[in-house]
């Protein structure tokens, strides 16, 4: 039997902005199981952050029901706040500038009701997981990546938190810091259990970290399941990418003549979509003819392809 | 749930540490001292006869210093909501509101910390006023304490109400600094209310600060009060209760509103 921690049924959120009624969420149904990393994926303005804020009791939903650990987000907000860790979007400045990262974490931990000794020990634990070495610097002196890391650590301060919501935790970070933070999140889940809801645009991040994904667009969930499930909805295709040393019009014209080439970009970086792997040798032969076979790369569809296919198609309706 | 006292303590200490570590912030606390210096320069041009007939004292310096000591607290209450505004812009308030933290005491702590930070200039100004007055401190200490407690209570509630305005409108309340200075003048912090034209006096009677300053001046300088002393205490007490209720209800409504509209600064 599934042990769910988040349930939403037909959740809707409408608000008025500058005289216009905005439907930020529409009929959202989802369940998050205990112990998993669940991804909210979707373009800007799709409703991911709005749903997150409803679940952490920062926003009131307009319709439907939402429960975290069986507590109603409207009636039991107080209980939910005790069992939820939260890192919001654009909050890398939300520490106190004249305090060190460690002092910030201690303060926020104690404001949450964690005794000082426990908060100090917890920070040490988290520091070990992430191998962070900047905690004794003033927040004002930290890089954006270090600030963001501190803010993500803050969401994990309470050992009693049953679920942690992370809204774009690696946004704007350099690849090394982002990787460090992802490793931290993964290690945390492996070592301490717990549930994470991860809001992200980053397909690689979601695909590599999440057990389940809900794909949002225009305030609705348009698909949900495991990353593999979501990719299955795509018609089978292969993407062949060729980065040419220089544009070659005759090569493109020859490729365009092939009936099974579904899509082709006309630039120095060619992207050729074919539906059947058996057609790959034909393509290779053409590439050899033009002596560009060494620049070829063939791959199966990724989550990003699925995302563009599903959301892109929907946005062009 | 973090206890209300714990929230109050932690955030107050945090604000005070920030003041100590960020020296430029101290300037806002020293502002009343600067105003006093300006007032001292202006005293020679004031008509002492008019001042005496309106207040019952010729000790303009003590009168102004006492008013300034307490009005500085009011400025700090406004300052508290300004500091809250910057925390809202940075997203700190949003994070706090996702936590099991008492919102009321969190907002109050901004004011309390500013009041604590303002104690030094307050003591300096009050000592100057008391030193210059000819009244025995011992006989007036109780009324002074009672009035001070009521005034600080009123200021704290104003601070919560201003903070609610910040959260709802998502704009700074810097303009309140100017407005508050005018209110302090009308309330008789520096000049007796009776000196003003009648229409301005009626406005003054509608302000809680008028009674507080009147009682403070009475305690320190034995000035004439506008109404009987006990009546003024009752009025102050009623103001304190009414504003506490308004502040509490405002916070409930504000939380409801920001939960519908979002708290994040846009």
């Amino acid at each position: 039997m599934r042990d769910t921690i988040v349930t939403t049924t037909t959740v809707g959120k409408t608000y008025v902005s500058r005289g216009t009624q905005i439907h930020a969420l529409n009929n959202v149904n989802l369940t998050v199981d205990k112990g998993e990393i669940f991804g909210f994926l979707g373009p800007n303005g799709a409703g991911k952050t709005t749903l997150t804020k409803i679940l952490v009791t920062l926003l009131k939903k307009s319709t439907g029901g939402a429960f975290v650990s069986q507590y109603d987000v409207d009636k039991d907000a107080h209980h939910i706040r005790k069992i939820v860790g939260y890192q919001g979007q654009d909050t890398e400045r939300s520490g106190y500038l004249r305090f060190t990262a460690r002092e910030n974490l201690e303060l926020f931990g104690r404001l949450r009701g964690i005794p000082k000794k426990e908060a100090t020990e917890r920070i040490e634990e988290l520091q070990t997981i992430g191998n962070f070495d900047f905690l004794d610097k003033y927040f004002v002196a930290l890089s954006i990546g270090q600030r963001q890391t501190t803010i993500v650590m803050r969401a994990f301060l309470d050992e009693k938190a049953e679920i942690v919501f992370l809204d774009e935790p690696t946004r704007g970070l350099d690849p090394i810091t982002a990787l460090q933070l992802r490793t931290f999140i993964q290690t945390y889940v492996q070592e301490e259990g717990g549930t994470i809801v991860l809001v992200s645009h980053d397909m690689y991040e979601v695909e590599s970290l999440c057990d389940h994904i809900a794909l949002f667009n225009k305030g609705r969930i348009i698909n949900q399941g495991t990353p593999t499930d979501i990719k299955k909805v795509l018609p089978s295709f292969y993407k062949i990418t060729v980065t040419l040393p220089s544009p070659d019009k005759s090569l493109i014209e020859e490729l365009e003549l092939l009936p099974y080439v579904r899509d082709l970009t006309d630039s120095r970086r060619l992207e050729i979509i074919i539906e059947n792997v058996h057609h790959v040798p034909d393509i290779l032969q053409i590439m050899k003819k033009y002596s560009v076979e060494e620049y070829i790369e063939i791959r199966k569809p990724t989550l990003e392809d699925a995302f563009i296919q599903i959301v892109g198609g929907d946005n062009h309706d | 749930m973090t206890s209300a006292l714990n929230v109050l303590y932690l955030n107050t200490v945090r604000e005070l540490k920030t003041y100590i570590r960020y020296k430029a912030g101290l300037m806002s606390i020293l502002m009343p001292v600067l105003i006093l210096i300006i007032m001292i320069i202006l005293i020679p041009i004031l008509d002492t006869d008019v001042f005496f007939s309106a207040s019952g004292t010729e000790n303009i310096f003590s009168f102004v210093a006492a008013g300034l000591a307490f009005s500085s607290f009011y400025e700090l209450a406004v300052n508290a909501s300004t500091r809250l505004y910057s925390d809202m812009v940075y997203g700190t308030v949003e994070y706090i509101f996702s936590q099991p933290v008492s919102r009321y005491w969190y907002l109050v702590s901004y004011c309390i910390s500013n009041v604590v930070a303002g104690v030094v200039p307050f003591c300096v100004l009050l000592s100057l006023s008391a030193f210059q007055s000819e009244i025995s401190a011992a006989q007036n200490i109780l009324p002074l304490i009672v009035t001070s407690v009521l005034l600080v209570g009123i200021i704290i509630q104003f601070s919560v109400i201003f903070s609610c305005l910040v959260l709802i409108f998502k704009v700074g309340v810097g303009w309140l600094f100017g407005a508050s200075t005018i209110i302090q003048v009308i309330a008789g912090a520096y000049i007796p209310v009776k000196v003003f034209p009648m229409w301005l006096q009626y406005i003054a009677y509608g302000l809680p600060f008028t009674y507080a300053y009147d009682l403070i001046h009475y305690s320190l300088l034995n000035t004439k009060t506008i109404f009987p002393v006990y009546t003024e205490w009752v009025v102050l007490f009623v103001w304190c209760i009414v504003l506490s209720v308004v502040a509490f209800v405002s916070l409930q409504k504000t939380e409801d509103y920001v939960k519908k509209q979002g708290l994040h600064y846009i």
Side-chain angles (χ1 to χ4, degrees), chain A residues 160-189:
Chain A
K160 290 176 193 139
E162 293 177 24
I163 181 166
V164 176
F165 290 83
L166 303 174
D167 196 344
E168 300 190 17
T170 59
R171 194 170 79 150
L173 299 186
D174 65 77
I176 294 168
T177 314
L179 179 66
Q180 194 180 20
L181 211 48
R182 278 197 284 272
T183 311
F184 168 75
I185 293 166
Q186 217 157 20
T187 313
Y188 171 83
V189 173

Side-chain angles (χ1 to χ4, degrees), chain A residues 2 42 254 280:
Chain A
R2 288 177 71 184
E254 192 161 335
V280 171

Side-chain angles (χ1 to χ4, degrees), chain A residues 13 53 60 98 111-112, chain B residues 2 21 99 256 259:
Chain A
K13 172 69 183 171
K53 285 189 178 180
K60 258 188 183 164
R98 304 281 158 183
L111 275 172
R112 201 181 155 89
Chain B
T2 316
R21 291 178 183 180
Q99 298 297 299
D256 197 46
K259 276 182 85 171

Side-chain angles (χ1 to χ4, degrees), chain A residues 181-253:
Chain A
L181 211 48
R182 278 197 284 272
T183 311
F184 168 75
I185 293 166
Q186 217 157 20
T187 313
Y188 171 83
V189 173
Q190 282 162 2
E191 289 187 3
E192 303 200 12
T195 310
I196 289 184
V197 169
L198 178 73
V199 180
S200 184
H201 287 129
D202 188 327
M203 309 296 157
Y204 167 73
E205 183 168 280
V206 172
E207 194 167 5
S208 60
L209 288 178
C210 296
D211 303 302
H212 284 93
I213 299 167
L215 197 53
F216 286 72
N217 195 31
K218 296 178 181 170
R220 291 175 183 273
I221 293 179
I222 50 174
N223 209 319
Q224 58 180 310
T226 64
T228 314
D229 290 339
I230 290 188
K231 283 189 281 186
K232 271 184 198 161
V233 304
L234 289 173
S236 167
F237 70 79
Y238 289 83
K239 189 183 244 180
I240 301 171
T241 311
V242 194
T243 310
L244 301 170
S246 57
D248 194 329
K249 210 167 174 63
S250 51
L251 169 63
I252 293 166
E253 281 168 1

Side-chain angles (χ1 to χ4, degrees), chain A residues 13 15-16 53 56-60 73 77-78 81-82 84 86 88-91 93-94 96-99 103 107-108 110-113 138 154, chain B residues 1-2 6-7 10-11 14 17-18 21-22 87 89-92 94-101 103 106 110 255-256 258-262 264:
Chain A
K13 172 69 183 171
Y15 62 92
V16 177
K53 285 189 178 180
V56 298
T57 76
L58 281 171
L59 272 180
K60 258 188 183 164
V73 292
H78 202 64
R81 288 173 192 144
K82 288 183 194 169
V84 158
Y86 173 62
Q89 209 180 74
D90 298 326
T91 51
R93 295 186 300 170
S94 68
Y96 292 107
L97 296 177
R98 304 281 158 183
F99 280 57
E103 284 175 329
L107 174 72
F108 287 116
R110 292 182 67 196
L111 275 172
R112 201 181 155 89
Y138 274 139
R154 184 173 67 180
Chain B
M1 169 74 176
T2 316
N6 198 28
V7 173
L10 288 169
N11 209 36
R14 198 261 312 152
K17 272 190 184 171
T18 306
R21 291 178 183 180
Y22 184 57
D87 278 0
V89 172
Y90 290 153
T92 318
E94 186 185 77
Y95 175 74
I96 291 290
F97 273 49
S98 74
Q99 298 297 299
V101 172
R103 283 97 169 92
Y106 177 71
Y110 277 89
E255 185 163 10
D256 197 46
V258 296
K259 276 182 85 171
K260 279 179 190 151
Q261 293 296 317
H264 202 270

